[in-house]
Amino acid sequence: MNGFVTQGYFLTDHNNIYGSSEGGSFDFHELAVNASWRPRSDLLLAGQLMSRRAGKVNDGSPQVDYLLLDWRLQDSLTTQSGLRLGRLKVPYGFYNDTRDVAFTRPSILLAQEIYYDMSRDIALSVDGAGFYRQGMAAGFNLDLDLVMGVPKQDVAVEYPYLGGDMPGEFDSGRALIGRLILSDPQERWRAGVSLLSFDLDYEAFDDPVPVLLPGDGQLHVDIAVLSGQTRYQRWLFTAEYMLQHIDWSELGGVVALKPEVDLEAYYLQAQYHFSSQWDLILRYGEAYLDRDDRSGQAYQARLAELGIPSQSAVRYARDLTLGVGWQPSPAWLLRAEWHRVRGDLWLPGQDNPDSLQLERNWNLFALQATYRF
């Protein structure tokens, strides 16, 4: 049995993230307890109960983060493979399946271009089944994960994909996920590809559906992520690129003014380890909700024709990050980082209910302390 406790502090000069951060917010903390039990050599039962408070996005209610039965089909010195059943973490990119464990990520905020906290619920876990294989193939380490199941469909999914808490709900869904990571035996480099497909069924409560609100139908989201990482002495360089196809065509309403868009995002990251206790991180990333309308002005013009005021900056974000981490002991991790951001794409709508008040250029300063046991 293990666990961790994380407390964060966020301060912004404009806009809010994880609470009222313009005045400084301690409204971010995580508490998790996990346990595992092996009744026999080829079976493992593991789970984690987690409480996450993140401004108005997550209220701290305890939730089952994962709970799975792992049946090991092959277990040798070079290869392990097996089946998993239950609530499974979604494997994509280098960091998603461990994104809530501070010791496994290189910064307080993961690159929001790829690991967007506003849409974390849909990509966090699924209830279903998965197959995995880890081992050597053609002289390389090869990790393969295949998962299928039902993703989360709570209100937090409506904000990033429908623009807010709508008078309706996602009542069912399907997810197919695959990730392949290849690395050399010395782990000097890693390269990966992740493919995800989500179909979410939306049911509108009102009949007839009010004008400009989504109606009954299905939201389709297809995601491809390319990942690369290499080590050189004390440096670790990481880059990831994402293309996300979002199809609102069945739903109608404002979200379907342009029925389909391709969200494009990437980041470049360098991490330097001064010692086993200290590290420095520098990262730059960009994200565009519609790669054919990077400035957001075409979207703004379409809304203006309907008499709806809007901000073009909610359609993109460019983020420069500088951070430092200190691990004084195996149990403690302290981090500090600064973000210079242009654009508002990944700001949480729950903490910024009036998008017209958002500032295009803003700064974020964050502190975080984590203890694990």
Side-chain angles (χ1 to χ4, degrees):
M1 183 173 291
N2 301 279
F4 62 87
V5 180
T6 296
Q7 178 63 56
Y9 171 77
F10 294 85
L11 176 66
T12 53
D13 57 352
H14 303 291
N15 311 324
N16 288 312
I17 184 169
Y18 304 140
S20 300
S21 57
E22 283 193 75
S25 173
F26 287 96
D27 204 9
F28 180 90
H29 44 263
E30 296 172 318
L31 170 63
V33 177
N34 57 72
S36 62
W37 174 51
R38 190 177 295 276
R40 65 186 206 191
S41 61
D42 61 344
L43 286 180
L44 175 70
L45 181 64
Q48 177 166 285
L49 185 65
M50 183 170 183
S51 167
R52 185 177 194 264
R53 175 76 179 185
K56 295 181 180 179
V57 179
N58 300 107
D59 63 6
S61 300
Q63 296 188 15
V64 176
D65 188 33
Y66 63 86
L67 180 61
L68 59 93
L69 178 67
D70 186 331
W71 178 25
R72 187 66 60 89
L73 301 176
Q74 183 180 9
D75 192 357
S76 68
L77 292 176
T78 59
T79 304
Q80 296 82 42
S81 64
L83 297 174
R84 294 181 177 129
L85 299 174
R87 176 161 294 179
L88 312 180
K89 302 292 284 187
V90 172
Y92 85 82
F94 287 143
Y95 301 110
N96 189 69
D97 36 356
T98 59
R99 64 187 295 167
D100 291 328
V101 182
F103 288 87
T104 67
R105 59 181 187 246
S107 55
I108 297 174
L109 289 179
L110 281 172
Q112 292 299 289
E113 296 77 19
I114 308 295
Y115 305 98
Y116 185 28
D117 264 6
M118 272 279 286
S119 61
R120 71 188 295 277
D121 277 18
I122 192 177
L124 191 65
S125 62
V126 299
D127 295 331
F131 169 81
Y132 67 91
R133 181 194 183 279
Q134 303 165 347
M136 299 293 294
F140 298 100
N141 291 326
L142 186 148
D143 290 350
L144 173 66
D145 289 282
L146 301 173
V147 175
M148 62 182 299
V150 179
K152 288 186 177 182
Q153 306 125 31
D154 54 21
V155 173
V157 178
E158 296 181 26
Y159 273 88
Y161 287 106
L162 300 181
D165 184 2
M166 294 293 157
E169 64 179 11
F170 290 114
D171 58 1
S172 63
R174 291 155 295 283
L176 295 173
I177 300 122
R179 180 181 66 180
L180 178 67
I181 296 179
L182 194 69
S183 63
D184 75 333
Q186 292 75 38
E187 296 191 349
R188 292 169 298 186
W189 59 266
R190 292 195 298 165
V193 59
S194 309
L195 300 175
L196 305 88
S197 180
F198 298 95
D199 293 319
L200 298 179
D201 297 322
Y202 181 79
E203 179 186 3
F205 293 156
D206 297 321
D207 187 20
V209 176
V211 177
L212 301 181
L213 292 183
D216 294 346
Q218 196 170 72
L219 168 71
H220 306 277
V221 180
D222 296 309
I223 303 171
V225 179
L226 298 177
S227 308
Q229 190 174 78
T230 184
R231 295 181 181 275
Y232 177 72
Q233 295 181 359
R234 294 177 179 266
W235 290 93
L236 179 64
F237 299 99
T238 307
E240 294 192 281
Y241 170 85
M242 178 175 69
L243 189 62
Q244 182 174 168
H245 182 75
I246 307 172
D247 182 355
W248 292 289
S249 56
E250 293 185 22
L251 300 179
V254 171
V255 294
L257 286 178
K258 187 174 182 181
E260 299 180 48
V261 298
D262 289 316
L263 186 157
E264 187 175 43
Y266 76 91
Y267 74 88
L268 305 172
Q269 178 178 282
Q271 189 175 14
Y272 182 75
H273 292 271
F274 297 98
S275 67
S276 60
Q277 293 183 320
W278 288 91
D279 68 89
L280 180 72
I281 184 171
L282 177 65
R283 182 172 65 225
Y284 178 75
E286 297 184 353
Y288 302 95
L289 184 55
D290 184 355
R291 67 172 178 173
D292 296 326
D293 178 26
R294 291 175 176 254
S295 67
Q297 293 181 355
Y299 165 81
Q300 189 177 32
R302 285 194 296 270
L303 289 182
E305 292 174 359
L306 299 173
I308 302 175
S310 63
Q311 285 253 36
S312 61
V314 300
R315 307 284 285 187
Y316 66 86
R318 307 181 191 106
D319 179 16
L320 176 65
T321 302
L322 179 64
V324 63
W326 177 41
Q327 190 172 346
S329 73
W332 283 96
L333 175 64
L334 307 175
R335 287 197 176 277
E337 65 190 43
W338 166 75
H339 296 251
R340 174 61 177 171
V341 190
R342 180 176 177 84
D344 306 316
L345 174 60
W346 47 264
L347 281 170
Q350 296 94 320
D351 292 321
N352 300 275
D354 187 355
S355 63
L356 297 178
Q357 298 299 316
L358 294 175
E359 293 288 340
R360 186 185 308 267
N361 298 303
W362 53 288
N363 292 277
L364 164 65
F365 177 70
L367 297 171
Q368 179 179 276
T370 300
Y371 174 75
R372 62 182 173 185
F373 52 90

